[in-house]
Amino acid sequence: MDKKKKELAVFPPVVTVLGHVDHGKTSLLDAIRKTDIAAREHGGITQGIGASQIEISHDGKKRAITFIDTPGHEAFSKMRSRGAQVADIGLLIVAATDGVMPQTRESIEVLKASGLPFIVVLTKSDLPDKNVERVKQQLLKEEVMIEGYGGDIPVIEVSARNGTNVKELLDLILLVQEMQAHAPSGAEQGKSNASISGVLKAIVIESKLDQKSGPRATVVIKNGTMSARDDLVSEAVPARVRTLIDTKGARVKSATVGEAVEVLGFEKVPSVGSIVYRKGDAELIQSVEQEPVIDLPYSPQKKAGRVSLVLVTDTLGSLEAIVNALPEGVDILAKKTGELSEADVLMAKSTGALGIGFNT
């Protein structure tokens, strides 16, 4: 069993980055990519899809980490409503100058609801007006129990501009993964059940319709291996994999646990948060249908006179118009453009909300 856990720990952890706007998420990801061994060896990195994978030296070995760039809070809500967990570790980005802001609080709720282990990253630590102690006290008020203050959530100061503690942050991510891999069985065990040769399971984190190449979907592999020519299904949307594109923009023959790839071959654009599996895999279809629905902590209370919505419209213009026309007392749990999916219905059911589709 110990040998198996060591083998499983080599899968790249999938890391998501959450935080308030302008707190340095993009700058930090850019600084992280500069540490990529593969990028230095091959003359640079080309960001081709909504995720990136970097390779670093850790304890004398080459290790990979996958960063998700695209999922917003709404995408995470849909993923949780299916019991799916796209990421393994979260980074809560908080500027050491500004402290906890509205989107910081929302990010904290997202991380708590998912049960995801996370690291607090204090950015802009090189600026003279930083106030780390004040930020830590603000985090404690939000019940983020950081190390050194009675909790076990790691916290690290970084500077994307001069690269301070960027490599240390990457080492910390891998350390958290190793701790999760050896945790007791249960929700905190991370990738302990993942297998390269097991049943394929992937999650759509980004999708779009390209005028030239047709539907394109970026997926993160959670179990098994996806290969070219595979026949796939995502919420009744079939696909015959024509092309797989990795995070460097290169075509690859296959992808496995912890990796993100863009898939070309879907007949229609699959919805973000939907689960992808191999066609005809009855065992996985059954497990997906029986996945538990997780209630969100910020779900609306059962208050008299209040209505909760999961809103899906045909265009962004329709969405904005409807949202602006809604009266007070309406809580919007999730909103998006596209098709009303099974995940949306399950979210509405689990939170007692109304699921409404406009011109979908």
Side-chain angles (χ1 to χ4, degrees):
M1 181 63 69
D2 290 340
K3 181 180 179 182
K4 182 179 180 182
K5 284 185 177 180
K6 290 179 181 179
E7 291 174 349
L8 292 169
V10 303
F11 289 138
V14 178
V15 180
T16 188
V17 183
L18 298 173
H20 192 75
V21 65
D22 294 332
H23 274 202
K25 297 190 294 293
T26 301
S27 298
L28 178 60
L29 283 171
D30 288 341
I32 285 171
R33 291 177 189 125
K34 292 178 182 177
T35 68
D36 187 13
I37 293 175
R40 295 200 302 270
E41 290 176 349
H42 299 97
I45 181 172
T46 301
Q47 179 69 8
I49 61 176
S52 56
Q53 187 173 87
I54 62 103
E55 194 174 75
I56 65 168
S57 177
H58 176 74
D59 289 342
K61 298 179 180 179
K62 286 186 178 181
R63 294 289 305 277
I65 303 174
T66 300
F67 290 90
I68 301 174
D69 301 348
T70 55
H73 298 142
E74 295 163 19
F76 264 81
S77 297
K78 288 190 285 289
M79 292 169 190
R80 286 198 311 278
S81 73
R82 291 297 300 269
Q85 188 101 312
V86 66
D88 305 301
I89 298 169
L91 299 184
L92 177 63
I93 308 299
V94 189
T97 52
D98 298 332
V100 173
M101 302 290 280
Q103 280 183 302
T104 314
R105 295 187 181 92
E106 186 178 353
S107 299
I108 290 170
E109 290 300 317
V110 168
L111 290 166
K112 288 181 178 179
S114 67
L116 199 67
F118 66 95
I119 300 167
V120 174
V121 183
L122 303 181
T123 57
K124 305 184 180 182
S125 64
D126 58 309
L127 298 182
D129 58 339
K130 72 173 183 178
N131 191 334
V132 172
E133 183 58 34
R134 176 176 66 90
V135 176
K136 289 182 177 179
Q137 292 298 329
Q138 291 176 340
L139 288 168
L140 290 176
K141 289 182 180 179
E142 300 297 327
E143 298 183 352
V144 178
M145 307 308 295
I146 56 178
E147 290 180 346
Y149 290 76
D152 58 1
I153 298 174
V155 58
I156 185 171
E157 298 178 47
V158 303
S159 169
R161 183 164 64 175
N162 57 31
T164 302
N165 281 343
V166 172
K167 175 60 167 63
E168 287 75 7
L169 170 60
L170 299 176
D171 287 330
L172 183 57
I173 289 170
L174 293 173
L175 177 61
V176 170
Q177 182 204 22
E178 290 164 5
M179 292 175 64
Q180 293 300 311
H182 292 83
S185 59
E188 297 184 351
Q189 199 173 348
K191 287 181 178 297
S192 58
N193 295 320
S195 168
I196 292 175
S197 59
V199 171
L200 174 66
K201 179 179 180 181
I203 300 174
V204 178
I205 64 169
E206 186 180 70
S207 60
K208 62 183 179 181
L209 179 62
D210 188 283
Q211 294 298 324
K212 295 182 179 180
S213 57
R216 305 171 73 107
T218 300
V219 305
V220 172
I221 312 295
K222 300 300 294 180
N223 198 72
T225 300
M226 181 181 293
S227 304
R229 299 184 181 179
D230 275 352
D231 288 316
L232 309 175
V233 176
S234 175
E235 290 187 346
V237 178
R240 179 70 182 272
V241 180
R242 299 198 314 268
T243 307
L244 295 176
I245 301 173
D246 69 10
T247 61
K248 305 293 193 298
R251 293 191 178 191
V252 293
K253 293 182 179 180
S254 63
T256 189
V257 183
E259 297 179 344
V261 287
E262 188 172 38
V263 182
L264 278 68
F266 280 98
E267 292 187 5
K268 296 192 299 182
V269 178
S271 59
V272 172
S274 61
I275 299 174
V276 181
Y277 46 90
R278 194 167 282 110
K279 189 176 181 180
D281 208 330
E283 179 182 351
L284 183 58
I285 292 173
Q286 186 177 21
S287 68
V288 169
E289 291 175 344
Q290 294 179 353
E291 281 184 343
V293 173
I294 302 173
D295 289 328
L296 309 183
Y298 48 86
S299 296
Q301 300 296 319
K302 304 293 184 180
K303 296 179 180 178
R306 297 192 71 85
V307 177
S308 304
L309 299 180
V310 174
L311 180 62
V312 182
T313 67
D314 55 344
T315 65
L316 185 60
S318 299
L319 184 63
E320 291 176 348
I322 292 174
V323 170
N324 290 331
L326 291 173
E328 292 185 7
V330 175
D331 297 306
I332 300 178
L333 299 190
K335 58 182 187 289
K336 71 170 188 179
T337 60
E339 294 299 319
L340 188 64
S341 68
E342 182 184 356
D344 301 320
V345 175
L346 284 170
M347 167 176 276
K349 181 179 179 181
S350 68
T351 57
L354 295 176
I356 295 180
F358 177 80
N359 274 351
T360 59

